Amino acid sequence: LTLLLCTNHFIHNSTELLHRSLHLFARNSFLSHILYQYKMFARATRPLQRSLAPLGDRILIRKAVKETKTAGGILLPTDNAKESNEGTVVAVGPGLRDVSGVLHAPTLKAGDTVLLPKYGGTEIEIGDEKLNLFREDDILGKFD
């Protein structure tokens, strides 16, 4: 039982199954203590699930993967690959309000493919994924 509790792979893949099994065996104080330790360990090691909702006229974008093959078919190392200047819109803010209080909604929506400037934007990391946050004015164009 202790071996199962110490195995990260097992805990991440079958947390609920192990939790139910330990409840069946938790009849005495020793097993109750192990159940408590397991709950604390599982809570401390679970991956954080976060989401981000852009504010104002900001657009959350997932950049396209770098090209690792040239048009002639030559494979490039990933560190020398040309960085792509296009991406896919993941989330869109509600828009900006002008001086009179009128809300101007953004023209982009989630799923659009856009042309990005070479520099600019804010790179953020959510989990293991890198995303970029741009203002709508900074985005150069939208692909059809």
Side-chain angles (χ1 to χ4, degrees):
L1 187 59
T2 306
L3 179 63
L4 293 177
L5 292 175
C6 295
T7 307
N8 279 337
H9 180 70
F10 182 78
I11 288 175
H12 287 300
N13 289 339
S14 58
T15 304
E16 190 63 33
L17 178 65
L18 183 61
H19 183 67
R20 288 182 195 158
S21 300
L22 286 175
H23 271 297
L24 295 174
F25 293 114
R27 299 282 186 230
N28 62 27
S29 62
F30 174 71
L31 290 176
S32 296
H33 175 71
I34 290 177
L35 177 62
Y36 174 76
Q37 292 295 329
Y38 159 72
K39 285 181 181 178
M40 292 298 116
F41 181 74
R43 184 176 296 146
T45 59
R46 71 177 174 212
L48 295 175
Q49 298 295 327
R50 297 174 66 184
S51 62
L52 178 70
L55 299 177
D57 67 338
R58 289 177 178 82
I59 312 288
L60 188 62
I61 295 179
R62 179 180 299 116
K63 281 193 173 181
V65 181
K66 292 181 181 180
E67 293 180 23
T68 57
K69 186 184 260 190
T70 64
I74 299 172
L75 293 174
L76 299 173
T78 55
D79 57 338
N80 291 343
K82 182 176 152 185
E83 188 162 332
S84 178
N85 62 343
E86 64 181 67
T88 304
V89 176
V90 176
V92 180
L96 279 180
R97 293 195 182 275
D98 61 9
V99 179
S100 61
V102 176
L103 180 68
H104 297 280
T107 57
L108 298 172
K109 61 184 181 302
D112 287 345
T113 304
V114 293
L115 180 65
L116 302 171
K118 186 171 185 175
Y119 302 105
T122 304
E123 186 174 295
I124 55 175
E125 194 169 324
I126 299 177
D128 58 351
E129 186 176 25
K130 289 186 180 180
L131 301 170
N132 291 0
L133 200 59
F134 288 91
R135 288 193 173 271
E136 188 178 27
D137 293 344
D138 295 338
I139 295 174
L140 303 174
K142 173 180 153 183
F143 293 106
D144 288 332

